[in-house]
Amino acid sequence: MGRCPGCGTWGSMAEEAVAVTAATGAGARAGRAGGPRRPARPVTEVPLDDAGRAETGLPELDRVLGGGLVAGSVTLLGGEPGAGKSTLLLQAAAALAGAGRTVLYVSAEESPGQVRLRAERLGACAPRLLLAGETDVPAVLGLVEAHGPDVLVVDSIQTVRDPHVPGTAGGVSQVRECAGTIVRAAKQRDMATLLVGHVTKDGSLAGPRVLEHLVDVVLEVDGDRHHALRLLRATKNRFGAVGEVGCFEMTGTGMTGVADAGRLFVGEAADGTTGVAVTLALEGRRPLACEVQALVAPTNLANPRRVASGLDAQRLALLVAVLQRRVALALGDRDVFASSVGGVRLAEPAVDLALCLAIASSRRDAPVPRDLVVLGEVGLAGELRRVAATERRLAEAQRLGFAGAVLPAAYDGPAYGLRLHRARDLRQAMLAGLA
Ligand code: TYD
Ligand code: MG
């Protein structure tokens, strides 16, 4: 088959010979029960799997992992090229090695010499950190046999290859089989394993999604290559909560954890600047003050542009329509550009109202006061809806020194010392939020 009937992509099917074994043969289908190899036990008598957590020396990474690296766990770290995956893992590897664990770092992309250079720069040279440049999976397993590491890093799963499996490195069968082999070794030896995975242009992890099913933890490093800030998220975690977010800054000496994101995602615009509004986005459990910027400019185009960066383009188009119809903001002959600050991606509906106020502010040439935060989801009728965890967001706004907040009228919780402007709809919010 040339085309996958599931997802419609061409050339993604790979041939696979299936050996007929007892498990897939007629005997299994007839429902013959095998003798139990390990009997079932009461839940209270099963030993906890959580015992061997190792701290990685990077508190932000530990937090996202749910308190450190679990022995025998397999973690997939995804991210675009240049996001800082290799840097982060090398730092973690060095810290783990420094704490007395044997770490094998297999680089299938860079030569050990290159990795050494980076390690020097990061101050990440520990004698128990072993480097190998290897692309062959059986050879990697040989190294694992020889050195018996506590932690294995494979950078990356798309560049290693198993000669017994057909297909090129990075292809569907190769990625799945190689990952499967490594996962089995990790479980057998109780070896914590970290795999680097590349992300395709559309933002999904390259290779089959089965990779996500094979591993215990999926982490993604997110951030604009042109900005220093990086967010680390867990999208799957068998040992902790998903939704935790780690914040890092890419510096000359590697990925530095930022414990207090404070105003990192808020620009430096002077008082009286139009087209900017600050909101509090929730990243995991953590409220982050984020600035939304909009620029409304006259255009001669028959179809004016609506361009979003760091924000959802569909949502921008929708909110422009709501502004046109519900508060009669004239945007029909204008381009609208909208963006977040610092490369952060804002996907929450709670950001709607800040985006609307930024657009209205630019169009009307009236600034949103810089000491005001804006929270609220905007409906198609122009009504405002309450956002989740408003209390936590307001508390953070107060901590960061904001003086007031525009928010949906439905909120009836405490004010946290802020001047609250409760608005029922977009019109009221604009009256309260635009100077
Ligand atoms: P890298 O970890 O190689 O990214 P990935 O493995 O995800 O592709 O690092 C990417 C970028 O980070 C690279 O452009 C250089 C920069 N960098 C720093 O700014 N400081 C540093 O200390 C290091 C090691 C890299
Ligand atoms: Mg890399």
Side-chain angles (χ1 to χ4, degrees), residues 137-176:
V137 168
V140 171
L141 294 186
L143 288 168
V144 168
E145 285 296 326
H147 298 288
D150 303 302
V151 181
L152 171 70
V153 179
V154 178
D155 187 358
S156 69
I157 192 66
Q158 276 97 358
T159 45
V160 290
R161 191 165 186 278
D162 188 334
H164 309 300
V165 176
T168 50
V172 181
S173 326
Q174 280 289 348
V175 167
R176 189 184 43 196

PDB file of all heavy atoms in Angstrom, residues 137-176:
ATOM      1  N   VAL A 137      22.430  -0.128  17.275  1.00  0.00           N
ATOM      2  CA  VAL A 137      21.776  -0.478  18.535  1.00  0.00           C
ATOM      3  C   VAL A 137      22.389  -1.713  19.217  1.00  0.00           C
ATOM      4  O   VAL A 137      22.648  -1.677  20.418  1.00  0.00           O
ATOM      5  CB  VAL A 137      20.245  -0.619  18.350  1.00  0.00           C
ATOM      6  CG1 VAL A 137      19.600  -1.267  19.560  1.00  0.00           C
ATOM      7  CG2 VAL A 137      19.643   0.749  18.130  1.00  0.00           C
ATOM      8  N   PRO A 138      22.675  -2.806  18.469  1.00  0.00           N
ATOM      9  CA  PRO A 138      23.344  -3.931  19.140  1.00  0.00           C
ATOM     10  C   PRO A 138      24.656  -3.518  19.796  1.00  0.00           C
ATOM     11  O   PRO A 138      24.988  -3.986  20.893  1.00  0.00           O
ATOM     12  CB  PRO A 138      23.583  -4.931  18.001  1.00  0.00           C
ATOM     13  CG  PRO A 138      22.519  -4.616  17.018  1.00  0.00           C
ATOM     14  CD  PRO A 138      22.305  -3.135  17.086  1.00  0.00           C
ATOM     15  N   ALA A 139      25.392  -2.601  19.143  1.00  0.00           N
ATOM     16  CA  ALA A 139      26.644  -2.131  19.740  1.00  0.00           C
ATOM     17  C   ALA A 139      26.368  -1.320  21.004  1.00  0.00           C
ATOM     18  O   ALA A 139      27.118  -1.404  21.982  1.00  0.00           O
ATOM     19  CB  ALA A 139      27.418  -1.292  18.734  1.00  0.00           C
ATOM     20  N   VAL A 140      25.280  -0.551  20.992  1.00  0.00           N
ATOM     21  CA  VAL A 140      24.908   0.199  22.201  1.00  0.00           C
ATOM     22  C   VAL A 140      24.621  -0.784  23.335  1.00  0.00           C
ATOM     23  O   VAL A 140      25.076  -0.602  24.465  1.00  0.00           O
ATOM     24  CB  VAL A 140      23.675   1.098  21.935  1.00  0.00           C
ATOM     25  CG1 VAL A 140      23.168   1.705  23.234  1.00  0.00           C
ATOM     26  CG2 VAL A 140      24.023   2.189  20.929  1.00  0.00           C
ATOM     27  N   LEU A 141      23.886  -1.866  23.009  1.00  0.00           N
ATOM     28  CA  LEU A 141      23.592  -2.864  24.042  1.00  0.00           C
ATOM     29  C   LEU A 141      24.879  -3.515  24.548  1.00  0.00           C
ATOM     30  O   LEU A 141      25.005  -3.816  25.738  1.00  0.00           O
ATOM     31  CB  LEU A 141      22.635  -3.927  23.501  1.00  0.00           C
ATOM     32  CG  LEU A 141      21.233  -3.427  23.160  1.00  0.00           C
ATOM     33  CD1 LEU A 141      20.337  -4.592  22.775  1.00  0.00           C
ATOM     34  CD2 LEU A 141      20.617  -2.659  24.323  1.00  0.00           C
ATOM     35  N   GLY A 142      25.845  -3.695  23.630  1.00  0.00           N
ATOM     36  CA  GLY A 142      27.150  -4.225  24.026  1.00  0.00           C
ATOM     37  C   GLY A 142      27.827  -3.308  25.039  1.00  0.00           C
ATOM     38  O   GLY A 142      28.382  -3.766  26.040  1.00  0.00           O
ATOM     39  N   LEU A 143      27.746  -2.001  24.770  1.00  0.00           N
ATOM     40  CA  LEU A 143      28.327  -1.030  25.708  1.00  0.00           C
ATOM     41  C   LEU A 143      27.623  -1.099  27.054  1.00  0.00           C
ATOM     42  O   LEU A 143      28.260  -0.996  28.116  1.00  0.00           O
ATOM     43  CB  LEU A 143      28.202   0.385  25.142  1.00  0.00           C
ATOM     44  CG  LEU A 143      29.120   0.749  23.965  1.00  0.00           C
ATOM     45  CD1 LEU A 143      28.683   2.052  23.335  1.00  0.00           C
ATOM     46  CD2 LEU A 143      30.556   0.844  24.456  1.00  0.00           C
ATOM     47  N   VAL A 144      26.319  -1.278  27.001  1.00  0.00           N
ATOM     48  CA  VAL A 144      25.548  -1.374  28.244  1.00  0.00           C
ATOM     49  C   VAL A 144      25.991  -2.603  29.029  1.00  0.00           C
ATOM     50  O   VAL A 144      26.208  -2.542  30.244  1.00  0.00           O
ATOM     51  CB  VAL A 144      24.034  -1.418  27.930  1.00  0.00           C
ATOM     52  CG1 VAL A 144      23.238  -1.820  29.151  1.00  0.00           C
ATOM     53  CG2 VAL A 144      23.563  -0.068  27.407  1.00  0.00           C
ATOM     54  N   GLU A 145      26.177  -3.743  28.308  1.00  0.00           N
ATOM     55  CA  GLU A 145      26.685  -4.959  28.959  1.00  0.00           C
ATOM     56  C   GLU A 145      28.039  -4.701  29.604  1.00  0.00           C
ATOM     57  O   GLU A 145      28.289  -5.088  30.748  1.00  0.00           O
ATOM     58  CB  GLU A 145      26.866  -6.085  27.918  1.00  0.00           C
ATOM     59  CG  GLU A 145      25.583  -6.733  27.444  1.00  0.00           C
ATOM     60  CD  GLU A 145      24.857  -7.455  28.565  1.00  0.00           C
ATOM     61  OE1 GLU A 145      25.546  -8.015  29.453  1.00  0.00           O
ATOM     62  OE2 GLU A 145      23.611  -7.448  28.583  1.00  0.00           O
ATOM     63  N   ALA A 146      28.907  -4.038  28.844  1.00  0.00           N
ATOM     64  CA  ALA A 146      30.285  -3.861  29.295  1.00  0.00           C
ATOM     65  C   ALA A 146      30.391  -2.943  30.507  1.00  0.00           C
ATOM     66  O   ALA A 146      31.195  -3.172  31.402  1.00  0.00           O
ATOM     67  CB  ALA A 146      31.132  -3.322  28.146  1.00  0.00           C
ATOM     68  N   HIS A 147      29.594  -1.871  30.521  1.00  0.00           N
ATOM     69  CA  HIS A 147      29.777  -0.860  31.562  1.00  0.00           C
ATOM     70  C   HIS A 147      28.711  -0.908  32.652  1.00  0.00           C
ATOM     71  O   HIS A 147      28.875  -0.295  33.699  1.00  0.00           O
ATOM     72  CB  HIS A 147      29.794   0.542  30.941  1.00  0.00           C
ATOM     73  CG  HIS A 147      30.924   0.736  29.977  1.00  0.00           C
ATOM     74  ND1 HIS A 147      32.231   0.851  30.369  1.00  0.00           N
ATOM     75  CD2 HIS A 147      30.947   0.798  28.623  1.00  0.00           C
ATOM     76  CE1 HIS A 147      33.012   0.999  29.303  1.00  0.00           C
ATOM     77  NE2 HIS A 147      32.261   0.960  28.227  1.00  0.00           N
ATOM     78  N   GLY A 148      27.591  -1.569  32.367  1.00  0.00           N
ATOM     79  CA  GLY A 148      26.516  -1.655  33.364  1.00  0.00           C
ATOM     80  C   GLY A 148      26.102  -0.308  33.931  1.00  0.00           C
ATOM     81  O   GLY A 148      26.095  -0.126  35.150  1.00  0.00           O
ATOM     82  N   PRO A 149      25.755   0.656  33.073  1.00  0.00           N
ATOM     83  CA  PRO A 149      25.443   1.999  33.587  1.00  0.00           C
ATOM     84  C   PRO A 149      24.126   2.030  34.375  1.00  0.00           C
ATOM     85  O   PRO A 149      23.249   1.195  34.159  1.00  0.00           O
ATOM     86  CB  PRO A 149      25.308   2.838  32.310  1.00  0.00           C
ATOM     87  CG  PRO A 149      24.893   1.863  31.262  1.00  0.00           C
ATOM     88  CD  PRO A 149      25.563   0.569  31.611  1.00  0.00           C
ATOM     89  N   ASP A 150      24.035   2.988  35.283  1.00  0.00           N
ATOM     90  CA  ASP A 150      22.768   3.224  35.990  1.00  0.00           C
ATOM     91  C   ASP A 150      21.833   4.057  35.143  1.00  0.00           C
ATOM     92  O   ASP A 150      20.617   3.993  35.287  1.00  0.00           O
ATOM     93  CB  ASP A 150      23.038   3.979  37.303  1.00  0.00           C
ATOM     94  CG  ASP A 150      24.012   3.242  38.186  1.00  0.00           C
ATOM     95  OD1 ASP A 150      23.708   2.091  38.530  1.00  0.00           O
ATOM     96  OD2 ASP A 150      25.089   3.800  38.499  1.00  0.00           O
ATOM     97  N   VAL A 151      22.449   4.897  34.281  1.00  0.00           N
ATOM     98  CA  VAL A 151      21.656   5.787  33.431  1.00  0.00           C
ATOM     99  C   VAL A 151      22.202   5.707  32.007  1.00  0.00           C
ATOM    100  O   VAL A 151      23.418   5.746  31.799  1.00  0.00           O
ATOM    101  CB  VAL A 151      21.739   7.253  33.937  1.00  0.00           C
ATOM    102  CG1 VAL A 151      20.899   8.159  33.058  1.00  0.00           C
ATOM    103  CG2 VAL A 151      21.294   7.357  35.390  1.00  0.00           C
ATOM    104  N   LEU A 152      21.285   5.575  31.048  1.00  0.00           N
ATOM    105  CA  LEU A 152      21.680   5.557  29.632  1.00  0.00           C
ATOM    106  C   LEU A 152      21.010   6.728  28.923  1.00  0.00           C
ATOM    107  O   LEU A 152      19.820   6.959  29.096  1.00  0.00           O
ATOM    108  CB  LEU A 152      21.234   4.239  28.990  1.00  0.00           C
ATOM    109  CG  LEU A 152      21.367   4.140  27.459  1.00  0.00           C
ATOM    110  CD1 LEU A 152      22.830   4.075  27.044  1.00  0.00           C
ATOM    111  CD2 LEU A 152      20.620   2.925  26.915  1.00  0.00           C
ATOM    112  N   VAL A 153      21.799   7.458  28.132  1.00  0.00           N
ATOM    113  CA  VAL A 153      21.236   8.527  27.310  1.00  0.00           C
ATOM    114  C   VAL A 153      21.486   8.163  25.852  1.00  0.00           C
ATOM    115  O   VAL A 153      22.617   7.818  25.497  1.00  0.00           O
ATOM    116  CB  VAL A 153      21.895   9.891  27.630  1.00  0.00           C
ATOM    117  CG1 VAL A 153      21.322  10.985  26.744  1.00  0.00           C
ATOM    118  CG2 VAL A 153      21.729  10.243  29.093  1.00  0.00           C
ATOM    119  N   VAL A 154      20.467   8.199  25.022  1.00  0.00           N
ATOM    120  CA  VAL A 154      20.645   7.951  23.587  1.00  0.00           C
ATOM    121  C   VAL A 154      20.190   9.203  22.833  1.00  0.00           C
ATOM    122  O   VAL A 154      19.033   9.588  22.877  1.00  0.00           O
ATOM    123  CB  VAL A 154      19.834   6.717  23.112  1.00  0.00           C
ATOM    124  CG1 VAL A 154      20.009   6.517  21.610  1.00  0.00           C
ATOM    125  CG2 VAL A 154      20.265   5.472  23.866  1.00  0.00           C
ATOM    126  N   ASP A 155      21.126   9.822  22.151  1.00  0.00           N
ATOM    127  CA  ASP A 155      20.864  11.081  21.441  1.00  0.00           C
ATOM    128  C   ASP A 155      21.173  10.873  19.961  1.00  0.00           C
ATOM    129  O   ASP A 155      22.312  10.869  19.559  1.00  0.00           O
ATOM    130  CB  ASP A 155      21.767  12.173  22.052  1.00  0.00           C
ATOM    131  CG  ASP A 155      21.462  13.555  21.500  1.00  0.00           C
ATOM    132  OD1 ASP A 155      20.599  13.668  20.625  1.00  0.00           O
ATOM    133  OD2 ASP A 155      22.114  14.510  21.950  1.00  0.00           O
ATOM    134  N   SER A 156      20.265  10.616  19.099  1.00  0.00           N
ATOM    135  CA  SER A 156      18.841  10.568  19.282  1.00  0.00           C
ATOM    136  C   SER A 156      18.282   9.247  18.777  1.00  0.00           C
ATOM    137  O   SER A 156      18.984   8.538  18.085  1.00  0.00           O
ATOM    138  CB  SER A 156      18.203  11.698  18.471  1.00  0.00           C
ATOM    139  OG  SER A 156      18.361  11.401  17.084  1.00  0.00           O
ATOM    140  N   ILE A 157      17.033   8.964  19.083  1.00  0.00           N
ATOM    141  CA  ILE A 157      16.431   7.692  18.678  1.00  0.00           C
ATOM    142  C   ILE A 157      16.255   7.633  17.152  1.00  0.00           C
ATOM    143  O   ILE A 157      16.186   6.567  16.570  1.00  0.00           O
ATOM    144  CB  ILE A 157      15.091   7.456  19.435  1.00  0.00           C
ATOM    145  CG1 ILE A 157      14.577   6.027  19.264  1.00  0.00           C
ATOM    146  CG2 ILE A 157      14.024   8.455  19.027  1.00  0.00           C
ATOM    147  CD1 ILE A 157      15.432   4.971  19.892  1.00  0.00           C
ATOM    148  N   GLN A 158      16.225   8.782  16.505  1.00  0.00           N
ATOM    149  CA  GLN A 158      16.077   8.788  15.030  1.00  0.00           C
ATOM    150  C   GLN A 158      17.380   8.546  14.292  1.00  0.00           C
ATOM    151  O   GLN A 158      17.378   8.353  13.086  1.00  0.00           O
ATOM    152  CB  GLN A 158      15.496  10.119  14.544  1.00  0.00           C
ATOM    153  CG  GLN A 158      13.995  10.184  14.622  1.00  0.00           C
ATOM    154  CD  GLN A 158      13.552  10.872  15.881  1.00  0.00           C
ATOM    155  OE1 GLN A 158      14.362  11.269  16.707  1.00  0.00           O
ATOM    156  NE2 GLN A 158      12.256  11.030  16.036  1.00  0.00           N
ATOM    157  N   THR A 159      18.510   8.603  14.990  1.00  0.00           N
ATOM    158  CA  THR A 159      19.775   8.414  14.278  1.00  0.00           C
ATOM    159  C   THR A 159      20.429   7.080  14.610  1.00  0.00           C
ATOM    160  O   THR A 159      21.469   6.758  14.056  1.00  0.00           O
ATOM    161  CB  THR A 159      20.760   9.566  14.569  1.00  0.00           C
ATOM    162  OG1 THR A 159      20.753   9.830  15.964  1.00  0.00           O
ATOM    163  CG2 THR A 159      20.364  10.828  13.832  1.00  0.00           C
ATOM    164  N   VAL A 160      19.827   6.298  15.521  1.00  0.00           N
ATOM    165  CA  VAL A 160      20.361   4.956  15.745  1.00  0.00           C
ATOM    166  C   VAL A 160      19.630   3.966  14.836  1.00  0.00           C
ATOM    167  O   VAL A 160      18.546   4.246  14.328  1.00  0.00           O
ATOM    168  CB  VAL A 160      20.247   4.499  17.223  1.00  0.00           C
ATOM    169  CG1 VAL A 160      21.184   5.281  18.099  1.00  0.00           C
ATOM    170  CG2 VAL A 160      18.829   4.584  17.714  1.00  0.00           C
ATOM    171  N   ARG A 161      20.247   2.821  14.643  1.00  0.00           N
ATOM    172  CA  ARG A 161      19.761   1.879  13.660  1.00  0.00           C
ATOM    173  C   ARG A 161      20.054   0.460  14.110  1.00  0.00           C
ATOM    174  O   ARG A 161      21.077   0.206  14.745  1.00  0.00           O
ATOM    175  CB  ARG A 161      20.537   2.188  12.372  1.00  0.00           C
ATOM    176  CG  ARG A 161      20.042   1.529  11.196  1.00  0.00           C
ATOM    177  CD  ARG A 161      20.495   2.015   9.873  1.00  0.00           C
ATOM    178  NE  ARG A 161      19.683   1.224   8.988  1.00  0.00           N
ATOM    179  CZ  ARG A 161      19.986  -0.015   8.655  1.00  0.00           C
ATOM    180  NH1 ARG A 161      21.108  -0.545   9.033  1.00  0.00           N
ATOM    181  NH2 ARG A 161      19.135  -0.709   7.914  1.00  0.00           N
ATOM    182  N   ASP A 162      19.142  -0.448  13.803  1.00  0.00           N
ATOM    183  CA  ASP A 162      19.371  -1.861  14.073  1.00  0.00           C
ATOM    184  C   ASP A 162      19.522  -2.574  12.734  1.00  0.00           C
ATOM    185  O   ASP A 162      18.577  -2.575  11.940  1.00  0.00           O
ATOM    186  CB  ASP A 162      18.177  -2.425  14.866  1.00  0.00           C
ATOM    187  CG  ASP A 162      18.435  -3.845  15.348  1.00  0.00           C
ATOM    188  OD1 ASP A 162      19.236  -4.551  14.697  1.00  0.00           O
ATOM    189  OD2 ASP A 162      17.839  -4.236  16.370  1.00  0.00           O
ATOM    190  N   PRO A 163      20.696  -3.193  12.471  1.00  0.00           N
ATOM    191  CA  PRO A 163      20.916  -3.798  11.154  1.00  0.00           C
ATOM    192  C   PRO A 163      19.977  -4.975  10.865  1.00  0.00           C
ATOM    193  O   PRO A 163      19.809  -5.345   9.712  1.00  0.00           O
ATOM    194  CB  PRO A 163      22.382  -4.250  11.204  1.00  0.00           C
ATOM    195  CG  PRO A 163      22.771  -4.240  12.637  1.00  0.00           C
ATOM    196  CD  PRO A 163      21.892  -3.257  13.322  1.00  0.00           C
ATOM    197  N   HIS A 164      19.349  -5.542  11.909  1.00  0.00           N
ATOM    198  CA  HIS A 164      18.448  -6.678  11.683  1.00  0.00           C
ATOM    199  C   HIS A 164      17.053  -6.239  11.274  1.00  0.00           C
ATOM    200  O   HIS A 164      16.193  -7.057  10.992  1.00  0.00           O
ATOM    201  CB  HIS A 164      18.357  -7.542  12.946  1.00  0.00           C
ATOM    202  CG  HIS A 164      19.686  -7.936  13.492  1.00  0.00           C
ATOM    203  ND1 HIS A 164      20.587  -8.662  12.759  1.00  0.00           N
ATOM    204  CD2 HIS A 164      20.284  -7.671  14.675  1.00  0.00           C
ATOM    205  CE1 HIS A 164      21.692  -8.845  13.475  1.00  0.00           C
ATOM    206  NE2 HIS A 164      21.532  -8.237  14.645  1.00  0.00           N
ATOM    207  N   VAL A 165      16.832  -4.940  11.272  1.00  0.00           N
ATOM    208  CA  VAL A 165      15.504  -4.423  10.945  1.00  0.00           C
ATOM    209  C   VAL A 165      15.593  -3.696   9.610  1.00  0.00           C
ATOM    210  O   VAL A 165      16.549  -2.944   9.388  1.00  0.00           O
ATOM    211  CB  VAL A 165      15.026  -3.451  12.060  1.00  0.00           C
ATOM    212  CG1 VAL A 165      13.701  -2.821  11.708  1.00  0.00           C
ATOM    213  CG2 VAL A 165      14.934  -4.185  13.388  1.00  0.00           C
ATOM    214  N   PRO A 166      14.650  -3.920   8.698  1.00  0.00           N
ATOM    215  CA  PRO A 166      14.718  -3.209   7.420  1.00  0.00           C
ATOM    216  C   PRO A 166      14.394  -1.727   7.592  1.00  0.00           C
ATOM    217  O   PRO A 166      13.789  -1.330   8.586  1.00  0.00           O
ATOM    218  CB  PRO A 166      13.646  -3.906   6.565  1.00  0.00           C
ATOM    219  CG  PRO A 166      12.688  -4.478   7.550  1.00  0.00           C
ATOM    220  CD  PRO A 166      13.495  -4.832   8.763  1.00  0.00           C
ATOM    221  N   GLY A 167      14.812  -0.948   6.616  1.00  0.00           N
ATOM    222  CA  GLY A 167      14.478   0.474   6.636  1.00  0.00           C
ATOM    223  C   GLY A 167      15.645   1.338   7.064  1.00  0.00           C
ATOM    224  O   GLY A 167      16.623   0.863   7.613  1.00  0.00           O
ATOM    225  N   THR A 168      15.517   2.635   6.786  1.00  0.00           N
ATOM    226  CA  THR A 168      16.593   3.568   7.122  1.00  0.00           C
ATOM    227  C   THR A 168      16.392   4.102   8.533  1.00  0.00           C
ATOM    228  O   THR A 168      15.283   4.052   9.077  1.00  0.00           O
ATOM    229  CB  THR A 168      16.587   4.762   6.152  1.00  0.00           C
ATOM    230  OG1 THR A 168      15.244   5.259   6.111  1.00  0.00           O
ATOM    231  CG2 THR A 168      17.032   4.368   4.765  1.00  0.00           C
ATOM    232  N   ALA A 169      17.479   4.613   9.104  1.00  0.00           N
ATOM    233  CA  ALA A 169      17.397   5.210  10.440  1.00  0.00           C
ATOM    234  C   ALA A 169      16.370   6.333  10.411  1.00  0.00           C
ATOM    235  O   ALA A 169      16.293   7.097   9.451  1.00  0.00           O
ATOM    236  CB  ALA A 169      18.760   5.739  10.861  1.00  0.00           C
ATOM    237  N   GLY A 170      15.576   6.427  11.451  1.00  0.00           N
ATOM    238  CA  GLY A 170      14.559   7.472  11.517  1.00  0.00           C
ATOM    239  C   GLY A 170      13.234   7.040  10.912  1.00  0.00           C
ATOM    240  O   GLY A 170      12.217   7.700  11.099  1.00  0.00           O
ATOM    241  N   GLY A 171      13.237   5.912  10.184  1.00  0.00           N
ATOM    242  CA  GLY A 171      11.991   5.410   9.607  1.00  0.00           C
ATOM    243  C   GLY A 171      11.123   4.754  10.663  1.00  0.00           C
ATOM    244  O   GLY A 171      11.583   4.462  11.769  1.00  0.00           O
ATOM    245  N   VAL A 172       9.867   4.513  10.279  1.00  0.00           N
ATOM    246  CA  VAL A 172       8.896   3.991  11.237  1.00  0.00           C
ATOM    247  C   VAL A 172       9.378   2.708  11.919  1.00  0.00           C
ATOM    248  O   VAL A 172       9.442   2.629  13.148  1.00  0.00           O
ATOM    249  CB  VAL A 172       7.543   3.723  10.540  1.00  0.00           C
ATOM    250  CG1 VAL A 172       6.528   3.201  11.538  1.00  0.00           C
ATOM    251  CG2 VAL A 172       7.043   4.981   9.880  1.00  0.00           C
ATOM    252  N   SER A 173       9.779   1.689  11.104  1.00  0.00           N
ATOM    253  CA  SER A 173      10.143   0.404  11.711  1.00  0.00           C
ATOM    254  C   SER A 173      11.388   0.546  12.564  1.00  0.00           C
ATOM    255  O   SER A 173      11.449  -0.004  13.667  1.00  0.00           O
ATOM    256  CB  SER A 173      10.435  -0.667  10.661  1.00  0.00           C
ATOM    257  OG  SER A 173       9.642  -0.503   9.555  1.00  0.00           O
ATOM    258  N   GLN A 174      12.382   1.281  12.040  1.00  0.00           N
ATOM    259  CA  GLN A 174      13.635   1.425  12.779  1.00  0.00           C
ATOM    260  C   GLN A 174      13.407   2.088  14.133  1.00  0.00           C
ATOM    261  O   GLN A 174      13.861   1.589  15.161  1.00  0.00           O
ATOM    262  CB  GLN A 174      14.632   2.251  11.966  1.00  0.00           C
ATOM    263  CG  GLN A 174      15.342   1.461  10.889  1.00  0.00           C
ATOM    264  CD  GLN A 174      16.346   0.462  11.460  1.00  0.00           C
ATOM    265  OE1 GLN A 174      16.689   0.486  12.625  1.00  0.00           O
ATOM    266  NE2 GLN A 174      16.809  -0.444  10.611  1.00  0.00           N
ATOM    267  N   VAL A 175      12.701   3.212  14.124  1.00  0.00           N
ATOM    268  CA  VAL A 175      12.489   3.946  15.374  1.00  0.00           C
ATOM    269  C   VAL A 175      11.772   3.064  16.386  1.00  0.00           C
ATOM    270  O   VAL A 175      12.167   2.962  17.551  1.00  0.00           O
ATOM    271  CB  VAL A 175      11.697   5.251  15.114  1.00  0.00           C
ATOM    272  CG1 VAL A 175      11.208   5.847  16.420  1.00  0.00           C
ATOM    273  CG2 VAL A 175      12.569   6.252  14.380  1.00  0.00           C
ATOM    274  N   ARG A 176      10.746   2.357  15.909  1.00  0.00           N
ATOM    275  CA  ARG A 176       9.971   1.562  16.844  1.00  0.00           C
ATOM    276  C   ARG A 176      10.769   0.380  17.386  1.00  0.00           C
ATOM    277  O   ARG A 176      10.771   0.114  18.580  1.00  0.00           O
ATOM    278  CB  ARG A 176       8.699   1.060  16.168  1.00  0.00           C
ATOM    279  CG  ARG A 176       7.756   0.421  17.158  1.00  0.00           C
ATOM    280  CD  ARG A 176       6.553  -0.152  16.489  1.00  0.00           C
ATOM    281  NE  ARG A 176       6.956  -0.852  15.285  1.00  0.00           N
ATOM    282  CZ  ARG A 176       6.124  -1.207  14.321  1.00  0.00           C
ATOM    283  NH1 ARG A 176       4.853  -0.894  14.409  1.00  0.00           N
ATOM    284  NH2 ARG A 176       6.554  -1.848  13.265  1.00  0.00           N
TER     285      ARG A 176
END
